[in-house]
Structure formats: structure tokens, C-alpha cells
Amino acid sequence: YGPEHPTIVNCLDNYGIHLLRLGRAGEAEPLLLESLAMGRKFFGDRCPHEDHVLAGLASIAGKRGDLDAQLDYIRQCREVGARVYPPGHRYWHESQGKYLRTLISQMETHLQRALSDSGDVASRSTSLERARALLAEWNAAEELETLRKPEQKWIDCLITGLDAAQSNLHGHDEASLDAFAAACASIQDIKDDSSTWKSHKDRAGKFLASIRKQQNQLANSEGHPPEQEP
């Protein structure tokens, strides 16, 4: 085929994703960037592999901790998937689903930072604002309601967490943390975990452990008995 050919676009994409799955993100990234550029050269804005390449680049950015780049790549992935494939197509579902999962993952990350007792008020406030902005973006994606529905219970739980983070910005509000802990515990009690991605129960468990740790640290500092695990 030579160094540049429509088929090479797919080859670079597949090899790059293969390296990424092997944990070799540094080697995968230049291949995916080359596939992205070549795909746009040959296919314009209708490249059938572009959404897949962009999702891979988003994953690399996320592993690197570059949340802004991750979000930019996954938004492009969503746009390409919606442009190239009709609703209901397998690759349409894949691109839109990865976009929504990234919103959730970043919401969780920023909420953890907003709830952390190690950051200053300004940094925690910024994290809270970013989490709320991601929630607004999630809510605005009304055309993806079918894909959003399985995650809605977890989103409702995260909203309780955002309220707790707000209440704890300038001091310790035990009631709001208890409310979030109760919401996480109720998620763990659900017998039918409807998530099509990561288990709601696992994600709730991580937040619950974090909340208990904070409460125990506060109790120890004030001389009170620590919270018991439910």
C-alpha cells in the first residue's frame, strides 16, 4: 500500500490501540496521531476510524492525568461518531457511550478532589465547579437518554456528593457527609446493578470508604469514637 493509504489509517489505529492495551501508551500515541492526520487527509470529516482513534487518544490523556485533553478528545469522538454513523449503529453506541463514561469518570475525579481535606478552599471550589459543569453537560445530552438511563441512579448519588462538597467547603458539615454516605450505601444495597460500564456498587464503595476515612480522622482529632463500617 505504501506509507500513506486509506488502509494504513486502519492499521495504525488497530496497532496503536493494541499497544495501548499492553500498557505502552507512549508508543501508541504517535501512531494514533498519525492515523488521525492521515484519516482526515483521505476521508475528510467522514473517516470511519476517527472516533476510535480519538477515543484511544482520550484514554492516553486520561492515563497521563491531562483531563482537559481527555475531555477535548472524547468530545471530538462523540461528534465524529454522530456524524459518520446513524443512531443505533454499533459504532454510534460505542462513541456516545465512551463520551458519557468520560463525563462520569471526570465527575468522580473532581468530586473526590472537592471533598478532599488536603486541598485549600480555592482548589476544592474549582474542582466542585468543574464537576458541576460536567453534570450540566451530562444533563444537556438529552438525545442520549437511552444510554444515560442505566447510570442515572449513580448520577443522583453523585449529586448528593456535590451538595456535600459544597457544604464542606468552608468547614465540616457532618450531616451532608452522612447524607452522601447513606446515598452510597443505598447504591450498594441495590440487587440489580444496571450499569453497563463499571459497577455502581464498586464506585459507591470507593466513595463510602473515603467518607468514612474523613469522618474517622475528624473524630480522632476531636477525641470522639471513630465511625464504624456499615
Side-chain angles (χ1 to χ4, degrees):
Y1 296 112
E4 288 197 354
H5 187 278
T7 301
I8 301 299
V9 176
N10 191 27
C11 293
L12 289 168
D13 172 24
N14 288 336
Y15 187 39
I17 296 299
H18 175 68
L19 290 174
L20 178 57
R21 288 171 178 163
L22 292 176
R24 296 159 64 179
E27 297 172 67
E29 186 173 24
L31 296 178
L32 293 176
L33 288 171
E34 185 179 357
S35 176
L36 183 66
M38 195 182 300
R40 289 172 174 173
K41 175 181 177 180
F42 284 112
F43 298 100
D45 66 354
R46 306 291 296 182
C47 179
H49 316 295
E50 187 173 350
D51 60 317
H52 197 239
V53 173
L54 288 165
L57 290 168
S59 178
I60 292 171
K63 292 177 186 298
R64 197 164 48 217
D66 189 346
L67 299 186
D68 289 337
Q70 182 189 33
L71 201 54
D72 180 56
Y73 279 131
I74 209 64
R75 283 169 175 160
Q76 291 183 62
C77 170
R78 177 200 180 186
E79 292 171 2
V80 172
R83 182 169 64 242
V84 175
Y85 299 103
H89 190 283
R90 171 190 168 189
Y91 293 149
W92 179 90
H93 275 283
E94 187 176 288
S95 60
Q96 308 310 300
K98 287 179 178 178
Y99 162 72
L100 291 176
R101 291 194 291 271
T102 301
L103 293 185
I104 294 176
S105 177
Q106 288 208 10
M107 260 189 270
E108 293 171 355
T109 297
H110 290 301
L111 177 55
Q112 283 280 17
R113 293 175 180 177
L115 285 168
S116 173
D117 56 2
S118 60
D120 57 36
V121 172
S123 62
R124 288 189 289 123
S125 180
T126 297
S127 294
L128 179 58
E129 288 174 7
R130 295 198 66 176
R132 289 198 182 282
L134 290 164
L135 175 62
E137 186 169 343
W138 169 278
N139 289 333
E142 296 180 354
E143 73 278 13
L144 303 181
E145 178 59 27
T146 302
L147 298 178
R148 292 191 310 172
K149 188 175 181 180
E151 303 292 344
Q152 195 56 51
K153 291 177 182 177
W154 179 238
I155 291 295
D156 291 341
C157 184
L158 290 180
I159 290 172
T160 306
L162 292 173
D163 292 340
Q166 181 68 55
S167 297
N168 283 271
L169 267 182
H170 300 285
H172 187 77
D173 181 54
E174 188 74 16
S176 65
L177 288 176
D178 283 343
F180 186 32
C184 289
S186 69
I187 290 289
Q188 289 190 307
D189 290 338
I190 296 175
K191 293 182 179 180
D192 179 21
D193 191 339
S194 60
S195 175
T196 56
W197 177 42
K198 293 181 180 178
S199 168
H200 292 156
K201 297 177 184 179
D202 292 344
R203 288 182 281 175
K206 290 180 180 179
F207 273 103
L208 191 55
S210 177
I211 295 166
R212 295 306 185 201
K213 181 180 178 181
Q214 279 186 259
Q215 291 176 321
N216 287 341
Q217 287 174 341
L218 182 68
N220 290 335
S221 69
E222 296 179 348
H224 299 309
E227 287 280 335
Q228 297 297 315
E229 290 292 333

